[in-house]
Amino acid sequence: KAARVHCDGKLWCVMGCGGDRDKGKRPIMGEIASRLADITVVTDDNPRSEASESIIEQILAGVIPNSTVYTEADRAQAISLALSKSNAGDLFLIAGKGHETYQEIQGVRSSFSDLNEVARFDSAYRELALRNVVVGFGKTGMSVAAYCVQRGWPFAVTDDAAEPPRLTELNTHVPVEFAPIQRFEFLPSDRLFVSPGVQMTHPDVQRAKALGAVLKNEIQVFSELCERPIAMNTGSNGKRTVTNFVGQL
């Protein structure tokens, strides 16, 4: 009831019941959640030694007929489901675990935080909202575009070719926009992936940077993905140095 006062849209309730606790309260909590919330997502709390499916069934036994209820045992997925289906003005009550930083399943306590899951979803959502532009669509541009597709990021491509041949090879389910490099300035961008064949001093690259875009090249993308230590060396030519260095590795 307190949450409803602050809600302009739909009121969501993500909830579950703890295992090895009062089973009689489970249908009662299901009834209360489905009556007071517009949409209820029933999930795990701390199942402890009990079967998750059994707890969820007992909660569902009390929900009001014809109410909107989703079930998702995985609590992280349940939070993500609710947030992903929301609209502007909706409000979420993620109930039960509060400040806890663990989840107990079959006697094992694993690291888990409702707050962290919301923050993780928010970060991913913000990533999806960024306007990405791949500048130069040779082999490097193609690999960066494939990376964007893998992450589910919409992106635009700009190249000096009117119709980059590799663009048709890209198997993508995300929106892709193309503009010749001569019209690059008309592509709004938050993040530019600049291929080696394009100078960072390119006027439109610098213009995008001045407007706040983040510039990256393929090495930076790789280094951010790599969880292992990275060793690099360089020189005027580097053939012998690189050969000896790799040989030592």
Side-chain angles (χ1 to χ4, degrees):
K1 291 179 180 179
R4 176 68 69 182
V5 177
H6 304 282
C7 182
D8 295 325
K10 298 289 187 182
L11 177 59
W12 293 71
C13 179
V14 180
M15 55 81 67
C17 293
D20 302 330
R21 298 293 187 268
D22 188 350
K23 296 181 180 181
K25 290 181 179 178
R26 294 171 186 173
I28 297 173
M29 293 174 69
E31 188 276 331
I32 293 171
S34 61
R35 173 165 49 86
L36 297 180
D38 296 303
I39 305 169
T40 305
V41 181
V42 181
T43 186
D44 282 351
D45 188 283
N46 289 315
R48 297 184 177 87
S49 68
E50 289 193 62
S52 167
E53 296 83 358
S54 176
I55 297 174
I56 290 176
E57 285 180 7
Q58 292 169 39
I59 295 172
L60 293 176
V63 302
I64 295 175
N66 301 318
S67 56
T68 304
V69 178
Y70 296 95
T71 60
E72 172 54 67
D74 186 307
R75 192 172 179 91
Q77 291 297 320
I79 292 172
S80 178
L81 181 150
L83 294 173
S84 65
K85 289 181 175 293
S86 66
N87 294 300
D90 288 2
L91 187 143
F92 300 87
L93 172 62
I94 302 175
K97 295 184 61 59
H99 67 283
E100 290 180 353
T101 56
Y102 67 89
Q103 186 176 36
E104 185 176 340
I105 302 175
Q106 296 301 313
V108 178
R109 286 192 175 189
S110 303
S111 177
F112 186 90
S113 162
D114 285 347
L115 183 61
N116 287 347
E117 292 304 319
V118 173
R120 185 176 292 112
F121 180 91
D122 181 65
S123 176
Y125 180 82
R126 290 176 187 274
E127 288 282 356
L128 288 173
L130 290 177
R131 297 167 296 183
N132 301 288
V133 178
V134 179
V135 185
F137 207 64
K139 290 183 178 179
T140 299
M142 179 68 175
S143 66
V144 173
Y147 172 67
C148 290
V149 171
Q150 182 184 20
R151 299 299 296 268
W153 295 344
F155 63 97
V157 171
T158 183
D159 193 83
D160 55 6
E163 295 182 5
R166 289 187 175 86
L167 197 58
T168 58
E169 301 171 16
L170 195 60
N171 183 18
T172 175
H173 57 280
V174 300
V176 179
E177 182 181 358
F178 173 74
I181 206 160
Q182 295 84 355
R183 297 181 58 81
F184 169 37
E185 62 183 290
F186 296 105
L187 287 177
S189 56
D190 298 303
R191 182 166 48 193
L192 265 62
F193 297 103
V194 184
S195 299
V198 179
Q199 297 294 319
M200 287 289 189
T201 55
H202 187 289
D204 289 326
V205 171
Q206 289 301 307
R207 186 179 297 112
K209 180 180 179 181
L211 292 173
V214 175
L215 308 185
K216 291 181 179 288
N217 58 33
E218 81 285 2
I219 295 177
Q220 289 173 301
V221 174
F222 166 75
S223 66
E224 290 170 2
L225 287 173
C226 186
E227 298 179 354
R228 301 274 184 171
I230 301 173
M232 302 181 70
N233 72 84
T234 186
S236 59
N237 194 314
K239 288 183 180 178
R240 180 172 297 176
T241 306
V242 173
T243 301
N244 291 339
F245 181 71
V246 174
Q248 292 296 318
L249 292 177

